[in-house]
Amino acid sequence: MKSERPVKDSWRTSLHEIIFEAETPAGKVFDVGLLLTIVLSVVAVCIESVTVYRITYGSWLRAFEWGLTILFTIEYGLRLMAVRRPFRYAFSFFGIVDFLAILPTYLSLFIVGTQSLLVIRALRLLRVFRVLKLSHFVGEAQMLRAALKASLRKIIVFLGAVLTIVLIVGTLMYLIEGEENGFTSIPRGIYWAIVTMTTVGYGNVTPHTVAGQTLASIVMILGYGILAVPTGIISVELAGVTRQKVSTEACPECSDEGHAEGANFCKNCGSKL
Amino acid sequence: MKSERPVKDSWRTSLHEIIFEAETPAGKVFDVGLLLTIVLSVVAVCIESVTVYRITYGSWLRAFEWGLTILFTIEYGLRLMAVRRPFRYAFSFFGIVDFLAILPTYLSLFIVGTQSLLVIRALRLLRVFRVLKLSHFVGEAQMLRAALKASLRKIIVFLGAVLTIVLIVGTLMYLIEGEENGFTSIPRGIYWAIVTMTTVGYGNVTPHTVAGQTLASIVMILGYGILAVPTGIISVELAGVTRQKVSTEACPECSDEGHAEGANFCKNCGSKL
Amino acid sequence: MKSERPVKDSWRTSLHEIIFEAETPAGKVFDVGLLLTIVLSVVAVCIESVTVYRITYGSWLRAFEWGLTILFTIEYGLRLMAVRRPFRYAFSFFGIVDFLAILPTYLSLFIVGTQSLLVIRALRLLRVFRVLKLSHFVGEAQMLRAALKASLRKIIVFLGAVLTIVLIVGTLMYLIEGEENGFTSIPRGIYWAIVTMTTVGYGNVTPHTVAGQTLASIVMILGYGILAVPTGIISVELAGVTRQKVSTEACPECSDEGHAEGANFCKNCGSKL
Amino acid sequence: MKSERPVKDSWRTSLHEIIFEAETPAGKVFDVGLLLTIVLSVVAVCIESVTVYRITYGSWLRAFEWGLTILFTIEYGLRLMAVRRPFRYAFSFFGIVDFLAILPTYLSLFIVGTQSLLVIRALRLLRVFRVLKLSHFVGEAQMLRAALKASLRKIIVFLGAVLTIVLIVGTLMYLIEGEENGFTSIPRGIYWAIVTMTTVGYGNVTPHTVAGQTLASIVMILGYGILAVPTGIISVELAGVTRQKVSTEACPECSDEGHAEGANFCKNCGSKL
């Protein structure tokens, strides 16, 4: 696959290996350094949002931010150069994130108040999984992703049912409690229903009438049962994914997989495992 | 089954296919259009409940609502015509929902304040599962329903135990805290116990005495353990249902079921699957 | 077992069947009637605790309560007569509950404010499981009880760990936040830690300093993970109990039980199932 | 293993058995007494932190604390003497805890306000597991620890994803709600996001704008689904650990493992178990 590339590509290949891969020592150093820089940058954005620090260290933080932005811009340019199809990278998930990560600082020259958007750099932290690729974490992440993917349809069906219940319950509470008890509109009733069914329970909107509190009690008890469903779905799918992983032993004769844990003979061809 | 119907029924059959089925292109277009209309109608009811919008756009929203109600009335009439036994449809779950969905607007001519009941139209959104019938969602929905059905009895037993605990704990808190700390009656104590045991925790009624806070701590910790039970029940039933689905393939020779997912030979008689 | 009882016992046997069993029609009628009376009695106690109703309907409720107490006293006497060993019944769980259920009304002749204790009658509602004995509910209840019993030790170990964490975290919050932020003592800090770790979150005691909010964030995230443990424990035990139930098929030859679901041959003696 | 130790070690061995082991009667008495003393000491620290009690019983509590500290100091000295390698004990987990448990009282002679640190004695309560060693609790604790260890990597991956979501959501809320609605900085937004996603929901910081409440609703519903993941992970790992424990019996002939609980014959070679 790697044979007969033109000489011109040799520097691109090594640049690609450093920036995009994490298998070589240079690539790993680059990735770990990049992650630390991203963490620093996110921390700086968080600190700048605190009024006290913005007033005291404002100029330092701005200088620091510009330094990082220039670094990230150079990195973005190198990434575009390192790949053979720059457009495919530029419109990939991480390509867009990398671009959005440097945009707000330049925008802040023209528009006031865009610095907070820099926190989108946090999304770049998802690159951390690439550094972990070398370790066993990638397998765990893949299992979690596979389980979430397998349970997606069930959860959509479930969310559809929950949203319908929330709509009905929210409206009923609006009718029962009325505007004088804080349920000023149906959307506010729906908001209350979501806050209650997810057991968050802020307590800024609560029922005051006996009928409202009775309905709320029913919603809480039944709601708790209903919200046990996603946990069950994910448990089952995770168990399925884990079970598949367990049966990685392949038959030496027919290379069939998926045998039970204690099996002695291949379930496919009958030869000894 | 479809042979030798009288000619008179041919238009009814095609009408039935469009309105009640979602397999033909026309039926699917009708159902998707219907769902969008229902969503619009629910959104309109929600918007109308907000005082600011009711004052500003009140007449527009009322006109929109009447337009939709007339549309839904025509649809209801067509549904009654499309089925051979109109009474059976009229008293089915969706028949009643469809009727209740148009009733409030007409009632609002005579009684003030019934418009909010229009949110019952949200129940019509459950028709969404019919549109999804074509896809794989119906299987997921059936599995969820089967799991909930299988766990119903266990959950009723569990709810009975929880209600008894809630009664006792609520009364104890009423006795311990008394009216001066917000526990003005036993029902209010029960309400507090439900809010606490479901971990909603609004915080508008909280214990103030040391004894009350100690009891509350015990209720919270034990309550958390108790409420782990429905999650466990549903997980187990979902796992059972999922396992059954996997093994639906039957052996063509001995019709044995319950084979592993990748099995090539019947685990019972050894013939090829 | 029932053979050769003395004649004197015949009325006792039929009395016992009516009061203690629910298999005969008379017994079932008695039990359902008893349950309804208990529900009415609990509702009356709840209503009486509401100040408005106590003032308006006080005398009616008191008369109703005395009527029920006399009924329950007669029932208690009949129970004592119906069993051959009255002491064993009197000191059994339900014997004590039945006694405590009539005590408060008589005590209220001498001491003021004991009526609320009548809610202990709610415990009598647990008799509902006997009425359900005829149906399949008893199996479900037994499974739940078996699962809870099997997970008891694991949950005790888990609660021990949680209590230690709660002690340490509560003290740390007391030291960090101090009395000026509502953490007036270590027990109050522990109360806050329990309210937070169980995700109840009343919001009447919350951290105000940056260090306190950081610690609270860690407690919440880790606490959520920790509290996932009882759910896991109960799920696993319930699954085990359910699995055991599945394998109720016994071998026709050696009557061995516990075969896998799709098994064709007995795992014990090898004969066909 | 215990053969040919020098005579000098004989008192050390018996001291070690009393202080460090719980198998002998003397060792068990020592451990149970120690646990009770620790509980008393923790209770005393808690009581002293309550202002009312500190003023009334201050001198008594101080005297009690000094008495316990001297006792624990003697115990610490004996522990150092009882082991053959005192440094290894001194720098082990329990060695450090034992030292920290006596330090604050002595420090309080020089620095004011260190008494609260005495609650670190609660960590000594973890020794309770040693007393339980004799019973079956140790197996349960080991299973829990094994399950938590096995799920550690998955949970780290999961926490990484949650922290990224929390960062993004917290910043979005800061941008949407702004300082006038209590979201005074990005860290405060992140704090709100953690409080909401873990379903704690204090209610001291809540969204007030429509956009903020809509985002909050999405965060709550999706967040609930996301936080179902650790429960699923732990359930699956616990199930795996439980399954392994069940099948620890090995065939005496072929040493095959993984037999069903009630099996009489090896499922592999057919010899009697």
Side-chain angles (χ1 to χ4, degrees), chain C residues 66-115:
Chain C
W66 271 106
L68 286 179
T69 304
I70 288 161
L71 262 180
F72 287 153
T73 312
I74 294 167
E75 182 221 342
Y76 184 67
L78 288 175
R79 277 184 194 274
L80 282 176
M81 277 193 284
V83 289
R84 270 196 263 175
R85 296 176 186 169
F87 278 103
R88 187 178 274 186
Y89 160 70
F91 291 102
S92 71
F93 174 70
F94 274 119
I96 292 167
V97 166
D98 290 349
F99 180 68
L100 291 177
I102 53 174
L103 196 65
T105 317
Y106 293 113
L107 277 181
S108 70
L109 291 176
F110 312 103
I111 310 161
V112 176
T114 53
Q115 296 100 311

Side-chain angles (χ1 to χ4, degrees), chain A residues 242-261:
Chain A
T242 312
R243 217 180 298 127
Q244 280 167 23
K245 187 192 128 202
V246 161
S247 56
T248 46
E249 196 183 9
C251 170
E253 293 294 322
C254 69
S255 70
D256 181 46
E257 290 190 354
H259 305 290
E261 257 188 280

Side-chain angles (χ1 to χ4, degrees), chain B residues 150 152-158 160-161 164 167-168 171-172 174-175 179 184-187 190 192 195-197 199-208 212-214 216-218 220-222 224-229 231-233 235-237 243-244 256-257 267-268, chain C residues 42 45-51 54 113 116-117 119-123 125-126 129 132 136-137 140-141 143-144 148 155 159 162-163 166 188 191 194-195 197-204 224 227-228 230-231 234-236 238-239 242-243 245 261-265 272:
Chain B
L152 195 65
R153 268 192 209 145
K154 275 201 209 72
I155 284 178
I156 286 174
V157 167
F158 166 75
T164 310
L167 265 172
I168 305 286
T171 309
L172 279 177
Y174 167 71
L175 292 174
E179 301 197 12
T184 51
S185 65
I186 292 180
I190 293 167
W192 170 85
V195 168
T196 300
M197 284 196 78
T199 77
V200 171
Y202 285 137
N204 49 355
V205 191
T206 50
H208 291 282
Q213 292 184 349
T214 309
S217 299
I218 295 167
M220 282 176 221
I221 289 183
L222 292 187
Y224 196 96
I226 288 167
L227 282 160
V229 174
T231 309
I233 294 169
S235 295
V236 170
E237 296 298 340
R243 220 179 299 128
Q244 280 166 21
D256 180 46
E257 290 190 353
K267 68 173 166 49
N268 183 35
Chain C
V42 170
V45 172
C46 288
I47 287 172
E48 210 195 337
S49 75
V50 185
T51 316
R54 191 169 48 238
S116 296
L117 294 170
V119 100
I120 210 158
R121 281 178 183 162
L123 275 180
L125 286 174
L126 292 176
F129 290 112
L132 300 172
H136 302 279
F137 282 88
E140 310 289 348
M143 277 171 66
L144 278 181
L148 287 174
I155 283 178
L159 279 184
V162 165
L163 283 177
V166 152
R188 197 157 181 83
Y191 176 66
I194 292 172
V195 169
M197 282 195 80
T198 55
T199 78
V200 171
Y202 285 137
N204 48 356
Y224 196 96
L227 282 160
T231 309
I234 289 171
S235 296
V236 170
L238 261 176
T242 312
R243 218 180 297 128
K245 188 193 127 204
E261 258 189 279
N264 287 312
F265 295 96
K272 206 165 169 54

Side-chain angles (χ1 to χ4, degrees), chain D residues 16 20 76 79-81 83-98:
Chain D
H16 187 273
F20 280 92
Y76 184 67
R79 276 183 194 274
L80 282 177
M81 276 192 285
V83 289
R84 269 197 262 175
R85 295 176 186 167
F87 278 103
R88 188 179 272 185
Y89 159 70
F91 291 102
S92 71
F93 173 70
F94 273 119
I96 293 167
V97 166
D98 290 349

Side-chain angles (χ1 to χ4, degrees), chain A residues 42 45-46 49-51 54 113 116-117 119-120 122-123 125-126 129 136-137 140-141 143-144 148 159 162-163 188 191 194-195 198-202 204 227-228 230-231 234-235 238-239 242 261-262 264, chain D residues 153-154 156-158 161 164 167-168 171 174-175 179 184-187 190 192 195-196 199-203 205-207 213 216-217 220-222 224-225 228-229 231-233 235-237 243 256 267-268:
Chain A
V42 170
V45 172
C46 287
S49 76
V50 185
T51 316
R54 190 169 49 238
S116 297
L117 295 171
V119 98
I120 210 158
L123 276 180
L125 286 174
L126 292 176
F129 288 113
H136 302 279
F137 282 89
E140 309 289 349
M143 277 171 65
L144 279 181
L148 287 175
L159 279 184
V162 165
L163 282 178
R188 195 157 182 83
Y191 176 66
I194 292 172
V195 168
T198 55
T199 77
V200 171
Y202 284 136
N204 50 354
L227 283 161
T231 308
I234 289 171
S235 295
L238 261 176
T242 312
E261 257 188 280
N264 286 312
Chain D
R153 268 192 207 145
K154 276 202 207 68
I156 286 174
V157 167
F158 165 74
T164 310
L167 265 172
I168 304 286
T171 308
Y174 167 71
L175 292 174
E179 301 196 12
T184 50
S185 64
I186 291 180
I190 293 168
W192 170 87
V195 168
T196 300
T199 78
V200 172
Y202 285 137
V205 190
T206 49
Q213 292 185 347
S217 300
M220 283 176 221
I221 290 184
L222 293 186
Y224 196 96
V229 173
T231 309
I233 292 169
S235 296
V236 169
E237 296 298 341
R243 217 180 299 128
D256 181 45
K267 69 174 166 44
N268 183 35

Side-chain angles (χ1 to χ4, degrees), chain D:
Chain D
M1 259 179 271
K2 282 189 167 190
S3 59
E4 276 132 313
R5 286 229 192 108
V7 181
K8 198 192 135 195
D9 264 18
S10 68
W11 63 266
R12 178 176 283 168
T13 310
S14 52
L15 192 65
H16 187 273
E17 252 171 28
I18 293 170
I19 298 183
F20 280 92
E21 305 295 334
E23 263 107 70
T24 58
K28 212 181 169 180
V29 164
F30 177 84
D31 271 0
V32 170
L34 181 64
L35 282 173
L36 287 177
T37 321
I38 295 168
V39 167
L40 274 178
S41 134
V42 170
V43 168
V45 172
C46 287
I47 287 172
E48 209 196 336
S49 76
V50 184
T51 316
V52 180
Y53 297 124
R54 191 169 47 236
I55 291 162
T56 324
Y57 308 107
S59 50
W60 289 99
L61 287 164
R62 295 248 71 199
F64 183 70
E65 195 184 300
W66 271 105
L68 286 179
T69 304
I70 288 161
L71 263 181
F72 288 153
T73 312
I74 294 166
E75 182 222 342
Y76 184 67
L78 287 175
R79 276 183 194 274
L80 282 177
M81 276 192 285
V83 289
R84 269 197 262 175
R85 295 176 186 167
F87 278 103
R88 188 179 272 185
Y89 159 70
F91 291 102
S92 71
F93 173 70
F94 273 119
I96 293 167
V97 166
D98 290 349
F99 180 68
L100 291 177
I102 53 174
L103 196 64
T105 317
Y106 293 112
L107 277 181
S108 70
L109 291 176
F110 311 103
I111 310 161
V112 177
T114 52
Q115 296 100 311
S116 296
L117 295 171
L118 281 171
V119 98
I120 210 158
R121 281 177 183 163
L123 275 180
R124 299 193 82 201
L125 287 173
L126 292 176
R127 281 184 196 278
V128 80
F129 288 113
R130 209 174 21 155
V131 181
L132 300 172
K133 202 180 272 172
L134 302 168
S135 74
H136 302 279
F137 283 88
V138 79
E140 310 289 348
Q142 271 176 348
M143 276 170 66
L144 278 181
R145 213 179 315 137
L148 286 175
K149 208 173 167 186
S151 49
L152 195 65
R153 268 192 207 145
K154 276 202 207 68
I155 284 179
I156 286 174
V157 167
F158 165 74
L159 279 183
V162 165
L163 282 178
T164 310
I165 294 172
V166 153
L167 265 172
I168 304 286
V169 167
T171 308
L172 280 176
M173 283 308 274
Y174 167 71
L175 292 174
I176 292 172
E177 290 283 322
E179 301 196 12
E180 66 274 22
N181 289 324
F183 290 79
T184 50
S185 64
I186 291 180
R188 197 158 180 83
I190 293 168
Y191 176 66
W192 170 87
I194 291 172
V195 168
T196 300
M197 283 195 79
T198 55
T199 78
V200 172
Y202 285 137
N204 50 355
V205 190
T206 49
H208 292 283
T209 62
V210 171
Q213 292 185 347
T214 309
L215 180 60
S217 300
I218 295 167
V219 167
M220 283 176 221
I221 290 184
L222 293 186
Y224 196 96
I226 287 167
L227 282 160
V229 173
T231 309
I233 292 169
I234 289 171
S235 296
V236 169
E237 296 298 341
L238 261 176
V241 169
T242 312
R243 217 180 299 128
Q244 281 166 22
K245 185 192 130 203
V246 162
S247 57
T248 45
E249 198 182 8
C251 171
E253 294 294 322
C254 69
S255 71
D256 181 45
E257 290 190 354
H259 305 289
E261 258 186 280
N264 287 314
F265 293 96
C266 174
K267 69 174 166 44
N268 183 35
C269 65
S271 55
K272 203 163 169 57
L273 287 175

